[in-house]
Amino acid sequence: MAINTIDELINFAEKQNQKISTIVKEQKAKEQGLSEKELTDKMMKFYEVMKQAADRGTSKEVSSISGITGGEGYKLWQAAKKGLSGFNILKASARAMAVSNVNASMGKIVAAPTAGSCGIIPGAIVTAAEELKKRDEEVVDALFTAAAVGEIIAKNATLAGAEGGCQAECGSASAMATAAVVELAGGSPRQVGHAVAFALKAVMGMVCDPVAGLVEVPCVKRNGMGAAQALLAADMALAGIKSVIPPDEVIKAMAQVGRALPGELKETARGGLAVTPTGKKIKEKVFEKQ
Amino acid sequence: MNIFDIIGPVMIGPSSSHTAGAVRLGNLARNILGEEPKKARIILYNSFADTGKGHGTDKALVAGILGFLPDDERIKVSFEEAEKLGIEFELVSGGARPDLHPNTAEFYLEGSSKTTNVLGSSVGGGRVVIFSIDGFKTEFSGEYYTVITVHKDIPGMIAKVTTCLSGRKINIAQMRVSRESRGEKALMIIEADEILPEGIKEELEKLNGIYRAMIISPA
């Protein structure tokens, strides 16, 4: 059976009394003609790449090709112990920016769901796994839950900044990340759904306005924020807080908001931060260098 | 939907369209040439020309013609790798071309015995489309096992090629034929579901009226 909504996903998991990842793996194995082991082996490879990128960007300052950004992940990692926001939030944010730094430096990353939002899932999930002392195999399972949420968003809205703005890229990544974290922390399928709704509602309407058209400003920091929000959304859901608007309606609303956004604010670098005086100056400088 | 299109692919950043897609365009151009390139001239149009440097599009295109895949960490140092291999390359801006897709590159490749001219675009999410080969209009993605033939524009050529494929139990998903002018050279593109067996290129090239055959496997 094909699962098209979060509601169907939750009901199916509840009926089978299984975790979302368990039913996703079963279904995807059938659909893609692979064994569950083949699926988890491949996801494990992706998880390795995620961890490596997070380690690289937190252990030293990684600079972008253009030189506009660099070192954000390393700086926050250094400050994580003494920060106000709490160790886990800061580690998650630092790791997310670290992966985003690696991306901007032409390093190896996993598009999750896109290259622009590639830091959020690793930032949140690696940190949650560390805190919860989970094995890699359990984390990889949770990534299937994240992927299922991403697929449902892709079917009912979009994952592309050019179509839906940054809410569709970083917002979706945050929703996918929080889904994985809730499951990893032992939350119910229904709590996964609420967390997804919180993460998307937090950034509803967020525009895609990259300075000079590059995946750097504001993308690196938005990755850092997205990972922190994923952990907060997970904690809210695990505390028993419910989304008043059901997650599927939130996803449809996100799609509608994305359509309503003007083209200037959808990855064209013709609006928002891209056309601020500083944004324009940076653009001139980048082009001069070419 | 493939779950590894949602989480995945593994790629070298920073942009799926400007980096990963650019590598794939280079890969396809290399496969169309069908031999080790010795010289390359690459023209970048529109957004590729504007923001290409910041996205590493130039390095990605060169990496592609060297045969690197989108997750190869040598993409960043592809210029140095090309120099090591003694491959001459040149990247130039073609400026704005409103008639072309925003992310477009054109390749002039020269091997030891062949040359080719390929124009293609990166259309989002790392997917690409090849729009022309040696001046022939085409439209294919490289996501299928693809057979390309350059042949004489005379009756029976399509039948000859498809007979050769059906004899090998290869199912055709899509096909397209275009030509220079009546009775001259024509180009056929066949996208197939099945892996194309070894030796099929040579078999097709033996057919009377076929000038050249190219085989492309999905990357």
Side-chain angles (χ1 to χ4, degrees), chain B residues 138-156:
Chain B
T138 63
E139 202 176 323
F140 71 99
S141 66
E143 285 164 27
Y144 289 85
Y145 295 95
T146 309
V147 180
I148 305 170
T149 63
V150 179
H151 56 268
K152 208 168 180 186
D153 183 34
I154 49 167

Side-chain angles (χ1 to χ4, degrees), chain A residues 28 32 103 105 107 109 111 213 287, chain B residues 1 3 8 11 13 50 55 76:
Chain A
K28 284 293 162 187
Q32 290 175 216
N103 180 56
S105 78
I109 53 98
F287 290 160
Chain B
M1 217 176 273
I3 203 150
M11 57 168 274
D50 290 343
H55 282 119
K76 198 174 170 176

